[in-house]
Amino acid sequence: MARVVGLLAHRWFSGAFRGPLQVIRCPAPQLHVSGPAMAASQEDFAKAMNQVKLLKEDPGNEVKLKLYALYKQATEGPCNAPKPGMLDFILKAKWDAWNALGNLPKETARQNYVDLVSSLSASSCSQVTPAADKKQAESDSLVVTSEDGITTIRLNRPAKKNALTTQMYRDIMRALEAASEDSSRITVLTGSGDYYCSGNDLTNFKDIPPDKVEERAQSSAVLLRDFVDRFIDFPKPLIAVVNGPAVGISVTLLGLFDVVYASDRATFHTPFSHLGQSPEGCSSYIFPKMMGPSKAAEMLIFGKKLTAREALAQGLVTAVFPDDTFQKEVWARLKAYAKLPPNAMRIAKRLMRHQEKEKLHAVNAEESRVLAERWVSDECITAIVAFLSKKAKL
Ligand SMILES: CCCCCCCCCCC/C=C/C(=O)SCCNC(=O)CCNC(=O)[C@H](O)C(C)(C)COP(=O)(O)OP(=O)(O)OC[C@H]1O[C@@H](n2cnc3c(N)ncnc32)[C@H](O)[C@@H]1OP(=O)(O)O
């Protein structure tokens, strides 16, 4: 049965798909992705296949190819069909899309299919949902919306200055995966409230039994490495809308964004030595290249906090806006960018970045390995205990 539904959903390629004329019940326009990350069940998958047929808008051939490929991978595994002839364009495009998934496990393909459909439903519905319905649920730590060709990932723990919990790292990864495959053209990361992000949530270090410290450091290094890899590999234009102060990993990651817009209220602080830690997010490689070794050293070794204007002068920030017009000016720009042809933007990004990718992955691996050592060091433990016992503030 699931197979039949899936095949029907993919009749688009023969031109058989028509959007429904009746009003459909749309899911909420936001994807609240915080919460336990689970693999999609067969039931979720079947639901997603049905949901595909209800999309109001044709998502375009590129997305349809992705859906087709993920469906085939999820149901049949790696591509096993003979390669079609060069002149059979449609079959060839479908085969290429499926084959490109390589050995992606069936469960991951199923999850990616469900995530992609969910993001399509969200973006297709967001255009028709009244603004009042778009109010954020304050309790959700990450809010993802898709509108006007822009997927926005919003850190939403304003009371904790948007500090990143381990769940948020995982949720951001999932959101980036979904955004790379949804119909949006550009992706934005921003923060709620007065901070952009205060970096790693230092309570991630709490309640670790002494005999598990080493193990936790190793698993956190794997998490960090996977997390940063998602930024290195993200295929669409990625923009940081830095609405306020940024600390730690939220600063280092900026080197992996394509454009960084900052409010003049933003500051950029990487107090790694103060915390007995070391740089991550590929900053140990990107920052010296970007701003010269000594300016990078002031930030990454001595923890010098930069103002938005200083960060602009160092090339970390693309443009600075007065705080009172920041949101208006930035979103007007982004909406205009999101109208540009998506393939041209992706190709330009790939050309600008692909030569550095291998190097960045190697840097990320090394930075993560070193951090695992730092996390179990006396210097780091003393600094974390001081913060958690409220003796220290940066
Ligand atoms: C085995 C290890 C497992 C680890 C898992 C790691 C996974 C990957 C790690 C990647 C490496 C990343 C490194 C970094 O990002 S280093 C930077 C870490 N950040 C900080 O050190 C900032 C700490 N916060 C502060 O110094 C101040 O809070 C700040 C200057 C940001 C704001 O000061 P202000 O006075 O304006 O506000 P409050 O301090 O009152 O803050 C309000 C409440 O928010 C809590 N808060 C803020 N930031 C953090 C944070 N980073 N972690 C935890 N909690 C934070 C603060 O405690 C207040 O809470 P209460 O209202 O409950 O008191």
Side-chain angles (χ1 to χ4, degrees):
M1 171 60 186
R3 188 178 162 76
V4 173
V5 177
L7 287 173
L8 282 176
H10 296 292
R11 282 175 62 207
W12 279 346
F13 290 97
S14 59
F17 175 79
R18 297 282 180 277
L21 295 176
Q22 77 273 30
V23 175
I24 59 167
R25 205 178 130 258
C26 294
Q30 297 174 346
L31 299 176
H32 298 285
V33 292
S34 279
M38 286 184 291
S41 62
Q42 282 293 354
E43 199 187 339
D44 295 334
F45 187 52
K47 269 192 208 147
M49 285 189 278
N50 279 322
Q51 219 176 337
V52 153
K53 292 186 292 179
L54 295 176
L55 290 177
K56 278 191 85 156
E57 289 173 16
D58 184 332
N61 283 341
E62 204 178 331
V63 174
K64 285 189 268 185
L65 274 174
K66 276 190 192 136
L67 285 169
Y68 168 80
L70 288 169
Y71 168 77
K72 294 291 276 184
Q73 192 86 7
T75 53
E76 294 178 35
C79 180
N80 53 10
K83 189 171 181 175
M86 286 304 283
L87 295 179
D88 203 341
F89 298 116
I90 295 179
L91 276 181
K92 172 85 173 31
K94 290 165 74 177
W95 188 90
D96 284 343
W98 183 13
N99 192 46
L101 295 180
N103 287 323
L104 187 76
K106 280 184 171 183
E107 301 70 39
T108 314
R110 199 162 67 201
Q111 178 66 56
N112 290 357
Y113 182 97
V114 170
D115 287 345
L116 176 54
V117 173
S118 157
S119 64
L120 290 173
S121 308
S123 61
S124 118
C125 292
S126 62
Q127 291 162 14
V128 294
T129 309
D133 291 351
K134 294 183 188 162
K135 229 170 148 253
Q136 291 174 4
E138 279 300 315
S139 57
D140 289 345
S141 301
L142 197 71
V143 177
V144 184
T145 52
S146 210
E147 194 170 16
D148 296 329
I150 306 173
T151 290
T152 303
I153 303 170
R154 182 180 296 276
L155 309 175
N156 193 40
R157 288 182 82 210
K160 299 286 180 188
K161 311 293 181 192
N162 298 323
L164 298 170
T165 60
T166 48
Q167 187 60 49
M168 286 167 79
Y169 289 108
R170 294 198 181 91
D171 290 342
I172 292 169
M173 287 196 266
R174 290 185 65 207
L176 286 174
E177 263 165 39
S180 71
E181 293 180 343
D182 70 14
S183 59
S184 67
R185 297 178 177 201
I186 64 177
T187 300
V188 170
L189 184 68
T190 192
S192 294
D194 62 341
Y195 257 66
Y196 172 66
C197 173
S198 63
N200 187 38
D201 189 314
L202 297 176
T203 65
N204 288 336
F205 291 89
K206 255 172 109 173
D207 302 330
I208 306 176
D211 61 325
K212 295 275 183 235
V213 170
E214 181 61 42
E215 189 184 316
R216 183 70 76 82
Q218 292 303 330
S219 63
S220 298
V222 171
L223 173 68
L224 172 65
R225 182 177 170 178
D226 285 353
F227 177 73
V228 174
D229 274 347
R230 296 300 200 290
F231 286 83
I232 298 173
D233 291 330
F234 193 71
K236 297 179 183 178
L238 186 59
I239 293 117
V241 172
V242 185
N243 53 297
V247 184
I249 191 167
S250 71
V251 176
T252 55
L253 278 177
L254 293 176
L256 296 171
F257 281 70
D258 300 297
V259 163
V260 178
Y261 291 141
S263 151
D264 60 5
R265 216 173 40 75
T267 52
F268 300 83
H269 193 193
T270 47
F272 300 126
S273 299
H274 299 68
L275 292 166
Q277 298 189 32
S278 52
E280 76 304 271
C282 297
S283 59
S284 62
Y285 174 69
I286 296 178
F287 280 24
K289 272 184 85 168
M290 178 189 268
M291 51 186 82
S294 73
K295 290 289 180 193
E298 276 198 305
M299 281 192 85
L300 297 179
I301 302 179
F302 301 123
K304 181 180 183 221
K305 191 195 283 186
L306 301 193
T307 63
R309 298 265 163 227
E310 286 167 338
L312 178 68
Q314 303 311 337
L316 184 59
V317 161
T318 315
V320 177
F321 300 83
D323 192 55
D324 51 359
T325 55
F326 177 63
Q327 298 290 345
K328 193 168 160 224
E329 288 192 60
V330 165
W331 289 103
R333 266 197 207 198
L334 294 178
K335 281 181 186 167
Y337 293 159
K339 292 199 170 80
L340 293 169
N343 291 336
M345 290 195 284
R346 289 168 76 119
I347 288 167
K349 170 162 180 166
R350 182 162 54 76
L351 286 170
M352 287 165 69
R353 298 224 169 224
H354 82 277
Q355 295 194 12
E356 284 283 52
K357 260 197 182 177
E358 210 177 310
K359 176 75 187 169
L360 292 174
H361 283 299
V363 171
N364 180 27
E366 178 62 4
E367 287 177 345
S368 304
R369 187 191 67 73
V370 171
L371 253 175
E373 289 174 1
R374 294 310 306 158
W375 286 327
V376 296
S377 70
D378 286 347
E379 288 180 348
C380 179
I381 292 167
T382 308
I384 302 298
V385 169
F387 177 83
L388 294 178
S389 57
K390 297 283 177 195
K391 277 189 262 163
K393 197 168 273 188
L394 296 165

